[in-house]
Amino acid sequence: MLSPSTARVAPALVCSGHHSTASGGPVRIGNRIVACLGAALLAGAGAVALPTTAQAANLLDDPGFESGGLSDWNCSDGAGSVVSSPVHSGTKALAGAASASSNARCAQTVAVQPGTTYTLSAWVRGSYVYLGATGGTATWTASAADYTELTTSFTTGAGQTSAEVYVHGWYGQGTYHADDISLDGPGGQPDTEAPGTPGTPRVTGTSATSVSLAWDAATDNVGVTGYDVFRDGTLATTVTGTTATVTGLAPDTGYDFTVRARDRAGNTSPFTAAVHATTDPDGGGSPGFVQAAPYLYLGWGNPPSPTEVMSATGIEWYTMAFILARNGCNPAWDSQRPLTGGQDEAAVNAIRAAGGDVVPSIGGWSGNKLGPNCSTAQALAGAYQKVIDAYDLTAIDVDIENTDEFENPAVQDRILNALKIVKQNNPGLRTILTFPTLNTGPNSWGDRLIERAHALQADIDNFTIMPFNFGGHSDMYGHTVNATEGLKAKLTSVFGWTDAEAYAHIGISGMNNNSDVGEVTTPQIWTQIRDWANSHDIGRLAFWSVNRDRPNWEFTRITAGFTG
């Protein structure tokens, strides 16, 4: 594999009358990288007076990402996110998930003064991290195991009133981090001109719980950075493009939507005319997506007859484990057994013949998973589609754990985008994310997963946490409730849902009897958890696993009493 110093490199740039490669670093010109880090004038520079000296004053908004979001930054390919660790200072930093097809470029445009010298600096961490100004100079580091400061300077051209600064990684080099980015110098005239009104808002699709919208782009003297979508006068979501899907809606209900544009200075346009949409009826005839589905694993532990368990307990759904990758981006049971023609398909057919159904669990803690093996969201969606088609599924669950998926920003985003694609291609399909939790709610990776699900408009139906393996905590009922309440708080904060809407999008997946670290959940505790889940109308209840629920299927029988 070519290294970043040799891959995708254009001919050398003529700098100050020379071909210059001595500085060893690249500058972006259009979509190509060339070797040249000498000082350069930005566009518009010519025979001008000597530049003025910049006075130290950071012109960037949210330079340390302490807001927890990226509204002030424009990150390509959805590859940027805000993380809580590692940071240089404060509590937040930027993570850019550079992949084979994206360098995870994040940029911000600011007002500047003509003919003025500015100093740009940032603390970065990772392999081949770049800092620069578009049309000007750049600097980089080949490898920074810990935060390292990069500094460069540039001079604006005559008549130049804005400048774009950026940070990015390199193709295939993995996630980089950046923090405390600073652009020192005098600011330009403040932008007080509002964008124009977006054009022609329209409804492009509906489901029982969502409405998809589109509109024509607005114009602005500097540039539109986002659009606010309002539902019945309340902000529902903010997007950077000209489409949005508003989720968490009630079935068979009418809503009015308006859109306004926003520029980097915070100026907002007038609202569009309202467009009306009515969500679809809930075809299932139920109050929402409710699923009691304990795990059944045919690859381990003397698996029981699923129909005998159904007859003995009244359970109707199973979460069937595990779909993994085989020979690249191809789905198979345990990476070994084919989707059809074996014991797994026979079990699914028997369950359905007995009046039940299944949701396959894709992923898990260990094994060769599809998320890292499928190189793009489109390829991963294709793998998911093979599973959907094999069993004509109405729901799929992605169990996202461990460092290869859960703690990997690029794979997190790939999974979310893939689920968005299959949701769009399979009307009525329910999508579930299952992931670990702290006893107080999601950890930083869980927070990121939820935030990116919202930002990417993935339209996830259920966020299921696994409240166990906390490290020896004895009060499994109390800690399960606290973890679920923490998830509810995060969902209401990110999606703007009511408490009831958030609970309806929540699932609990426990572990019967002993957890991996010795925590004990008795049938009595599981009954308490089930009753609490029913009283709060959450959407899903599962446990690991029916294989371990012997000899009397007590936990399965308790789970069958979950009504949501």
Side-chain angles (χ1 to χ4, degrees):
M1 177 178 178
L2 293 177
S3 72
S5 61
T6 56
R8 306 189 186 205
V9 177
L13 173 67
V14 177
C15 294
S16 304
H18 299 270
H19 287 281
S20 174
T21 59
S23 59
V27 171
R28 172 164 290 278
I29 298 182
N31 291 323
R32 308 193 71 187
I33 301 295
V34 297
C36 177
L37 279 179
L41 295 178
L42 292 178
V48 296
L50 290 175
T52 61
T53 301
Q55 301 299 314
N58 193 355
L59 302 182
L60 298 177
D61 291 326
D62 200 14
F65 306 93
E66 295 301 311
S67 71
L70 290 172
S71 59
D72 294 304
W73 295 87
N74 180 23
C75 294
S76 62
D77 307 313
S81 64
V82 177
V83 297
S84 300
S85 178
V87 301
H88 173 253
S89 70
T91 62
K92 298 290 189 295
L94 170 70
S99 65
S101 59
S102 174
N103 64 2
R105 183 180 189 268
C106 291
Q108 186 176 141
T109 300
V110 297
V112 295
Q113 295 183 10
T116 303
T117 299
Y118 290 83
T119 299
L120 177 64
S121 64
W123 290 86
V124 301
R125 181 177 183 272
S127 298
Y128 296 93
V129 189
Y130 301 81
L131 176 73
T134 300
T137 60
T139 185
W140 63 304
T141 177
S143 179
D146 204 351
Y147 274 104
T148 300
E149 187 175 26
L150 296 178
T151 302
T152 187
S153 62
F154 63 89
T155 302
T156 54
Q160 182 178 348
T161 58
S162 67
E164 181 189 58
V165 299
Y166 62 82
V167 60
H168 67 75
W170 191 254
Y171 302 94
Q173 294 300 305
T175 298
Y176 70 88
H177 296 89
D179 201 358
D180 299 325
I181 305 176
S182 176
L183 179 63
D184 288 341
Q189 293 298 316
D191 176 17
T192 59
E193 183 175 335
T197 307
T200 321
R202 51 203 179 270
V203 177
T204 58
T206 60
S207 73
T209 59
S210 68
V211 171
S212 295
L213 306 164
W215 53 89
D216 297 333
T219 58
D220 184 66
N221 62 315
V222 175
V224 173
T225 58
Y227 296 89
D228 299 328
V229 181
F230 282 72
R231 178 194 70 197
D232 294 334
T234 300
L235 181 64
T237 187
T238 297
V239 296
T240 57
T242 56
T243 62
T245 298
V246 180
T247 60
L249 307 179
D252 200 18
T253 302
Y255 297 93
D256 289 322
F257 298 92
T258 54
V259 182
R260 70 182 182 188
R262 179 183 296 275
D263 66 17
R264 186 168 301 282
N267 302 309
T268 56
S269 75
F271 284 100
T272 64
V275 59
H276 186 80
T278 300
T279 52
D280 300 339
D282 185 8
S286 66
F289 176 50
V290 176
Q291 188 184 80
Y295 279 83
L296 175 67
Y297 189 17
L298 298 188
W300 162 83
N302 186 25
S305 163
T307 54
E308 289 181 9
V309 176
M310 292 171 70
S311 177
T313 65
I315 201 71
E316 295 180 353
W317 279 83
Y318 289 104
T319 304
M320 285 189 62
F322 289 100
I323 296 286
L324 296 171
R326 181 180 186 181
N327 299 326
C329 184
N330 296 299
W333 293 104
D334 289 342
S335 294
Q336 299 173 358
R337 305 186 303 279
L339 294 179
T340 59
Q343 63 178 352
D344 303 276
E345 183 184 31
V348 172
N349 291 339
I351 291 166
R352 287 176 168 171
D357 209 344
V358 302
V359 53
S361 179
I362 303 173
W365 173 258
S366 60
N368 194 32
K369 304 169 196 174
L370 289 168
N373 276 279
C374 299
S375 60
T376 66
Q378 291 74 19
L380 184 56
Y384 292 164
Q385 192 66 50
K386 290 178 183 178
V387 183
I388 294 166
D389 292 343
Y391 299 109
D392 192 21
L393 295 171
T394 59
I396 61 171
D397 167 51
V398 176
D399 186 338
I400 177 170
E401 302 185 53
N402 218 324
T403 56
D404 55 348
E405 289 195 319
F406 187 55
E407 298 179 10
N408 185 316
V411 176
Q412 273 199 10
D413 287 0
R414 190 178 304 152
I415 289 170
L416 291 168
N417 280 313
L419 289 173
K420 178 179 179 179
I421 292 169
V422 297
K423 192 80 177 287
Q424 293 169 341
N425 292 339
N426 299 270
L429 180 75
R430 306 290 194 168
T431 53
I432 304 161
L433 284 174
T434 298
F435 54 98
T437 183
L438 302 174
N439 61 349
T440 54
N443 66 8
S444 61
W445 290 107
D447 284 345
R448 183 196 186 277
L449 185 68
I450 293 166
E451 290 161 3
R452 295 298 293 160
H454 176 260
L456 297 173
Q457 302 175 47
D459 194 16
I460 302 300
D461 291 286
N462 189 277
F463 296 87
T464 294
I465 53 171
M466 295 181 285
F468 53 83
N469 288 352
F470 296 131
H473 294 286
S474 58
D475 182 9
M476 294 306 290
Y477 169 74
H479 288 300
T480 296
V481 169
N482 289 341
T484 309
E485 290 287 9
L487 173 60
K488 184 265 295 182
K490 184 65 179 180
L491 294 178
T492 57
S493 171
V494 172
F495 288 93
W497 291 333
T498 65
D499 285 359
E501 289 171 331
Y503 283 128
H505 286 81
I506 284 175
I508 295 172
S509 182
M511 183 175 281
N512 55 318
N513 296 317
N514 292 338
S515 72
D516 298 318
V517 297
E519 302 152 334
V520 178
T521 300
T522 65
Q524 292 74 27
I525 293 173
W526 189 240
T527 300
Q528 285 182 288
I529 293 170
R530 181 207 62 191
D531 291 346
W532 183 91
N534 282 340
S535 69
H536 288 76
D537 298 322
I538 76 165
R540 187 167 184 263
L541 188 66
F543 71 88
W544 178 264
S545 63
V546 174
N547 302 54
R548 303 168 70 236
D549 189 23
R550 302 175 191 266
N552 299 319
W553 320 119
E554 289 180 281
F555 286 84
T556 308
R557 188 175 289 105
I558 295 165
T559 305
F562 172 70
T563 57

